[in-house]
């Protein structure tokens, strides 16, 4: 296929130059071959592609600026609506707002907003696309001050399943606006997002490295510190087999260790006092004043990520007890070198829902935990998959629920577990209104309500 009525972007089919590279996503386990990859330039292109898919009864996957590790940005024998080329961004520094297209990554978005000393809460991985992260709720280090990424959205422009171009905000299609802030990509193809920005002039942050023998002590210290930390402070903690990164002392490269990465977005002269409890016992202390964009690059992605196999999932925890920490560390200590545990601080403004009710419902969680296996070789290697799956299963009696942005298994019961009953039913009603045929199903899918459920 070389042309498509009304489409001005680029079309790739099997055999086209660049097709094999374009079909790959962040996870080599998601090795799929779409019938058509449509690289869109604007909303009109999206409308044309969806019309083609509907008329030929083809499944549709949507890919933004990144590529979800679960493989939701691609499909076999269907159409990929590729928004990666849609990267326009307009910033009003006086109003502190931005209007951005979904092809942007967070690295690109942050670079543009930081030219004006502004930012919005976003993830700690600059390769993540802005749209998918936001639609799943979106957590990041600025979230304790300013709420979720989705709390800072002022509007969504999107193309619906039936080809309409609509805007959803607090006054127009308010139910759809509610659903898009935490309900994922179930309701349409987002083509523009409006954001409320915040003043961020650098951060005091860095890595505090502890040997494996001190991992329990370090994580308990981090937990206790967060209980009274100001909202301008945040933290992530990682237990892993350390890669050869500059933030890790050379003698710990490829060794098991724990890394705390605290951040302080308040007045720099208060940083020493706020962060002091975390610094005791570290064998390396990299805390310093950093530009926000440099901070976001502290943990770079590995090279050639499209050929790396990944299994990761995220869960929300109301509390991080000693027993839970012992479970997690027990799995880590007996797993191979490719398994890691990441803990992220929540609370603060997240719990106060600064933008009002949204479909993201885990406001009471104090911690986020990501269980991750990354490897090369056999895509279904039990050696690598089992530790991550076992660690996740061990949390099921303490978890508040899964994070839809890190949900590798699309089984309906896991998606269902991400939402309380009332929120899930409301999302189903919104789905009935905007996508009754479930065209957008390559995601943490919320199917339309049945006639009985909708009665």
């Amino acid at each position: 296929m070389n042309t498509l009525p009304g489409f001005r972007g680029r079309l790739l089919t099997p055999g086209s130059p660049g097709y094999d590279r374009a079909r790959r996503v962040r996870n080599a386990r998601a090795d799929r071959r779409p019938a058509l990859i449509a690289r869109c330039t604007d909303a009109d292109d999206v409308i044309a592609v969806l019309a083609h898919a509907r008329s030929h009864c083809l499944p549709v996957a949507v890919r933004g600026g990144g590529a979800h590790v679960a493989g939701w940005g691609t499909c076999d024998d269907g159409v990929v609506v590729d928004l990666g080329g849609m990267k326009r961004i307009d910033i009003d520094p006086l109003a502190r707002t931005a209007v951005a297209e979904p092809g942007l990554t967070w690295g690109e978005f942050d670079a543009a907003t930081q030219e004006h000393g502004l930012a919005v809460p976003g993830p700690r991985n600059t390769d993540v696309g802005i749209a998918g992260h936001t639609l799943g709720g979106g957590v990041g280090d600025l979230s304790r001050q300013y709420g979720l990424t989705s709390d800072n959205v002022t509007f969504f422009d999107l193309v619906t399943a039936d080809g309409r171009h609509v805007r959803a905000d607090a006054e127009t299609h308010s139910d759809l606006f509610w659903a898009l802030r935490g309900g994922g990509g179930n309701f349409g193809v987002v083509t523009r997002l409006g954001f409320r920005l915040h003043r961020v002039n650098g951060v005091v942050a860095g890595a505090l490295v502890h040997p494996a023998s001190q991992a329990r002590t370090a994580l308990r210290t981090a937990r206790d510190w967060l209980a009274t930390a100001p909202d301008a402070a945040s933290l992530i903690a990682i237990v892993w087999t350390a890669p050869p990164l500059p933030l890790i002392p050379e003698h710990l490269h490829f060794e098991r260790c724990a890394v705390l990465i605290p951040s302080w977005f308040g007045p720099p002269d208060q940083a020493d006092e706020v962060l002091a409890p975390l610094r005791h016992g570290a064998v390396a202390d990299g805390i310093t004043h950093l530009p926000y964009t440099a901070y976001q690059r502290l943990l770079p992605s590995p090279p050639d990520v499209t050929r790396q196999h990944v299994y990761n999932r995220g869960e929300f925890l109301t509390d991080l007890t000693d027993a839970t920490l012992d479970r997690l560390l027990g799995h880590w200590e007996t797993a191979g070198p490719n398994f890691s545990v990441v803990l992220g601080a929540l609370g603060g403004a997240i719990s106060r829902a600064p933008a009002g009710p949204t479909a993201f419902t885990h406001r009471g969680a104090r911690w986020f935990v990501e269980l991750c296996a990354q490897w090369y070789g056999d895509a279904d290697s039990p050696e690598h998959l089992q530790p991550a799956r076992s660690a996740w299963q061990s949390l099921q009696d303490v978890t508040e629920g899964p994070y839809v942005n890190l949900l590798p298994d699309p089984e309906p019961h896991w998606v269902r577990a991400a939402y309380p009953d009332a929120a899930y039913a409301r999302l189903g009603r919104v789905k009935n209104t905007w996508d009754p045929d479930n065209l957008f199903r390559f995601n943490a899918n919320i199917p339309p309500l049945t006639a009985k459920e909708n009665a």
Side-chain angles (χ1 to χ4, degrees):
M1 173 181 290
N2 297 317
T3 62
L4 193 158
F7 186 82
R8 294 175 296 175
R10 185 183 178 197
L11 301 174
L12 297 174
T13 55
S16 298
Y19 168 84
D20 196 56
R21 182 176 181 84
R23 73 179 181 84
R24 296 190 179 277
V25 296
R26 171 63 181 81
N27 185 356
R29 295 185 72 224
D31 187 15
R32 297 178 186 135
R33 295 181 176 275
L36 175 66
I37 301 171
R39 292 187 153 171
C40 300
T41 62
D42 56 20
D44 288 339
D45 277 356
V46 175
I47 292 170
V49 174
L50 293 183
H52 171 79
R54 289 194 308 271
S55 66
H56 291 80
C57 299
L58 293 172
V60 172
V62 182
R63 181 186 303 172
H68 198 288
V69 294
W72 293 340
T74 186
C75 60
D76 282 321
D77 303 319
V79 175
V80 171
V81 181
D82 187 344
L83 311 175
M86 296 172 59
K87 294 181 179 291
R88 287 177 285 269
I89 181 170
D90 296 308
I91 300 167
D92 184 334
L94 295 179
R96 297 186 184 179
T97 59
V99 177
E101 291 188 331
L104 289 163
T105 65
W106 279 104
E108 294 164 338
F109 183 93
D110 288 338
T113 58
Q114 276 290 282
E115 289 184 8
H116 308 281
L118 301 169
V120 71
R124 305 169 187 97
N125 184 335
T126 57
D127 295 332
V128 172
I130 66 168
H133 176 82
T134 303
L135 291 168
V139 297
D141 291 310
L142 285 168
S143 292
R144 285 176 44 80
Q145 274 186 290
Y146 302 121
L148 302 169
T149 312
S150 54
D151 289 331
N152 291 277
V153 174
T154 56
F155 72 84
F156 296 92
D157 286 343
L158 67 157
V159 176
T160 63
D162 59 2
R164 287 179 288 160
H165 195 202
V166 303
R167 173 165 293 190
D169 58 28
E171 286 77 38
T172 306
H173 304 308
S174 57
D175 246 21
L176 178 59
F177 186 55
W178 171 87
L180 289 166
R181 291 176 296 157
N186 278 284
F187 312 102
V189 180
V190 171
T191 57
R192 289 201 312 171
L193 306 90
F195 287 104
R196 185 181 305 107
L197 304 176
H198 303 277
R199 182 66 61 191
V200 176
N201 290 313
V203 55
V204 178
L208 302 171
V209 184
H210 298 261
S213 61
Q214 297 301 312
R216 277 174 173 76
T217 299
L219 294 183
R220 287 171 181 166
T221 298
R223 175 201 61 197
D224 296 342
W225 170 83
L226 182 68
T228 58
D231 289 356
S234 191
L235 177 137
I236 61 171
I238 310 169
V239 289
W240 58 358
T241 299
L245 296 176
L247 57 84
I248 305 294
E250 188 172 350
H251 73 277
L252 287 177
H253 288 181
F254 307 109
E255 298 290 336
R256 290 179 183 268
C257 64
V259 181
L260 308 183
I261 305 180
S263 54
W264 172 245
F265 294 96
D269 59 0
Q270 297 176 15
D272 285 345
E273 179 183 357
V274 172
L275 301 180
L278 295 170
R279 304 176 83 162
H280 179 71
V283 298
D285 185 331
I287 292 178
T288 188
H289 192 278
L290 294 167
Y292 181 65
T293 51
Y295 168 71
Q296 293 290 71
R297 295 194 301 270
L298 278 178
L299 295 172
S301 296
D304 199 15
V305 293
T306 62
R307 298 192 181 278
Q308 184 182 58
H309 304 300
V310 180
Y311 178 91
N312 66 344
R313 52 191 314 147
E315 297 281 338
F316 291 104
L317 301 174
T318 304
D319 196 11
L320 190 60
T321 65
D322 285 349
T324 299
L325 280 174
D326 286 344
R327 288 186 202 179
L328 290 169
L329 290 172
H331 285 283
W332 172 65
E333 288 163 349
T334 58
N338 296 308
F339 173 64
S340 60
V341 179
V342 181
L343 294 162
L346 303 176
I350 299 172
S351 63
R352 298 190 290 273
T358 68
F360 181 93
T361 52
H362 298 292
R363 299 284 179 175
R366 296 287 294 173
W367 288 92
F368 160 74
V369 58
E370 178 183 355
L371 308 165
C372 185
Q374 298 174 307
W375 71 98
Y376 297 92
D378 179 7
D380 295 313
S381 166
E383 173 190 356
H384 297 102
L385 286 168
Q386 192 55 40
R389 287 174 171 161
S390 295
W392 158 70
Q393 289 166 352
S394 77
L395 294 176
Q396 292 311 296
D397 62 336
V398 296
T399 179
E400 187 175 301
Y403 183 25
V404 295
N405 277 346
L406 285 174
L407 188 61
D409 300 320
E411 289 94 338
H413 60 285
W414 293 124
V415 179
R416 178 69 186 80
Y419 303 97
D421 290 345
Y424 189 79
R426 184 177 178 184
L427 287 166
R429 291 192 294 272
V430 177
K431 182 76 168 183
N432 275 21
T433 300
W434 295 98
D435 184 18
D437 297 321
N438 206 14
L439 179 68
F440 303 117
R441 59 185 180 273
F442 289 93
N443 46 45
N445 191 232
I446 297 163
L449 296 179
T450 64
K452 183 178 179 181
E453 290 171 325
N454 206 28

